[in-house]
C-alpha cells in the first residue's frame, strides 16, 4: 500500500480541525507543519505550530521551489515546505489542512494528492457553528460566510466532498476514502 498525501479544505467553522485531530488519533498520519513569516503567538511552538522563518528565508524558499504552495495574507507569508512533506511521505500518510487555492496549487505539482473538501450540511448550520465559537465578531462571521461561497464554488475540482453533519460519520467517511486510495 502506498502512502497518501491528503489535502483537506473547507469553509471556516466546518470542523476541519476536529476531523484532522480525530484522524491523527486513529491512524498513522502526520500533519504537515506550515512555514510563516509572522511572529509566534503566545503558546505557539516553532516546528510544531509553524516553522517561523524570516521574510528573506521565505522568499529564498520560493525562488528555490521549496514550497508545495504558498500565499501572502496580511503582509505575512504562509507556505507548505516541500522537503518536509516529501520526507514524511516516505514513512506515513500526510495530511495538509490548507485553504482551497493552496490545495489546487499542490494538486498541479502533485496530481497523486487526494483533494477532500469538508462541507457543512447547510449555511444555517455553518453560521450556528461560527457563532457558537464566540471568538469572532458578527462582522467577521459574515466575512467567513461570504468566503464560503467562493470555497464551495471550487468543490467540483476536488476528488471527494464529505458533509460534516455528524462528526463520527464524517471521520468514518474520510477514513474509508483514505483506505480506498491507499489500495490503488
Amino acid at each position: 500500500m502506498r502512502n497518501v498525501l491528503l489535502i483537506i479544505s473547507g469553509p471556516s467553522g466546518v470542523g476541519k480541525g476536529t476531523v484532522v485531530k480525530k484522524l491523527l488519533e486513529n491512524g498513522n498520519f502526520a500533519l504537515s507543519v506550515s512555514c510563516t513569516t509572522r511572529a509566534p503567538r503566545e503558546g505557539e511552538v516553532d516546528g510544531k505550530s509553524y516553522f517561523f522563518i524570516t521574510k528573506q528565508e521565505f522568499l529564498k524558499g520560493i525562488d528555490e521551489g521549496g514550497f508545495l504552495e504558498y500565499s501572502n495574507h496580511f503582509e505575512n507569508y504562509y507556505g507548505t515546505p516541500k522537503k518536509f512533506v516529501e520526507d514524511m511521505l516516505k514513512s506515513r500518510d500526510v495530511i495538509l489542512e490548507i485553504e482551497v487555492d493552496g490545495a489546487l496549487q499542490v494538486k498541479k505539482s502533485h496530481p497523486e494528492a487526494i483533494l477532500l473538501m469538508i462541507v457543512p450540511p447547510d449555511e444555517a448550520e455553518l453560521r450556528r457553528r461560527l457563532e457558537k465559537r464566540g471568538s469572532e465578531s458578527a462582522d467577521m462571521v459574515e466575512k467567513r460566510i461570504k468566503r464560503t461561497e467562493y470555497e464551495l464554488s471550487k468543490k467540483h475540482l476536488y476528488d471527494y466532498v464529505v458533509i460534516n453533519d455528524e462528526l463520527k460519520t464524517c471521520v468514518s467517511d474520510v477514513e474509508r476514502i483514505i483506505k480506498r486510495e491507499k489500495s490503488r
Side-chain angles (χ1 to χ4, degrees):
M1 279 199 209
R2 70 181 179 111
N3 291 325
V4 297
L5 177 57
L6 177 66
I7 302 170
I8 295 180
S9 304
S12 182
V14 78
K16 295 179 302 292
T18 305
V19 170
V20 168
K21 183 179 175 188
K22 293 291 184 189
L23 292 171
L24 293 172
E25 289 171 3
N26 298 346
N28 184 33
F29 301 102
L31 180 63
S32 178
V33 177
S34 295
C35 293
T36 186
T37 59
R38 75 162 172 75
R41 294 181 183 135
E42 187 176 327
E44 290 182 329
V45 178
D46 186 49
K48 185 173 170 102
S49 308
Y50 285 95
F51 292 112
F52 295 98
I53 62 176
T54 66
K55 183 176 179 180
Q56 291 73 28
E57 290 171 313
F58 202 102
L59 294 174
K60 183 179 179 194
I62 292 171
D63 289 342
E64 295 174 351
F67 295 102
L68 292 175
E69 58 84 28
Y70 66 90
S71 61
N72 186 312
H73 296 284
F74 306 108
E75 299 182 21
N76 289 301
Y77 285 93
Y78 295 84
T80 303
K82 187 181 204 175
K83 184 176 181 343
F84 182 75
V85 171
E86 290 174 350
D87 286 349
M88 286 191 305
L89 268 172
K90 292 174 185 172
S91 62
R92 62 179 100 167
D93 301 315
V94 177
I95 299 171
L96 302 182
E97 183 187 336
I98 57 178
E99 52 82 38
V100 171
D101 295 328
L104 296 173
Q105 284 180 44
V106 176
K107 187 71 169 180
K108 282 182 185 173
S109 63
H110 288 70
E112 76 284 0
I114 302 157
L115 293 184
L116 187 143
M117 183 176 284
I118 298 177
V119 299
D122 55 50
E123 185 182 314
E125 175 60 17
L126 183 64
R127 182 180 299 279
R128 188 192 68 72
R129 291 177 190 178
L130 287 169
E131 290 170 349
K132 185 179 173 186
R133 279 184 184 174
S135 60
E136 293 151 350
S137 67
D139 185 49
M140 184 54 74
V141 168
E142 288 309 316
K143 286 180 182 176
R144 293 193 184 281
I145 293 291
K146 185 111 178 114
R147 171 75 181 170
T148 297
E149 294 170 19
Y150 171 76
E151 292 168 327
L152 295 180
S153 76
K154 303 294 183 186
K155 71 182 179 183
H156 69 281
L157 299 172
Y158 275 64
D159 301 307
Y160 299 95
V161 176
V162 177
I163 298 170
N164 186 9
D165 192 8
E166 198 277 316
L167 180 62
K168 189 175 179 180
T169 302
C170 180
V171 171
S172 294
D173 290 347
V174 174
E175 288 174 333
R176 270 194 299 281
I177 289 167
I178 294 167
K179 186 176 181 180
R180 183 180 323 129
E181 288 291 335
K182 285 182 71 63
S183 65
R184 284 186 177 198

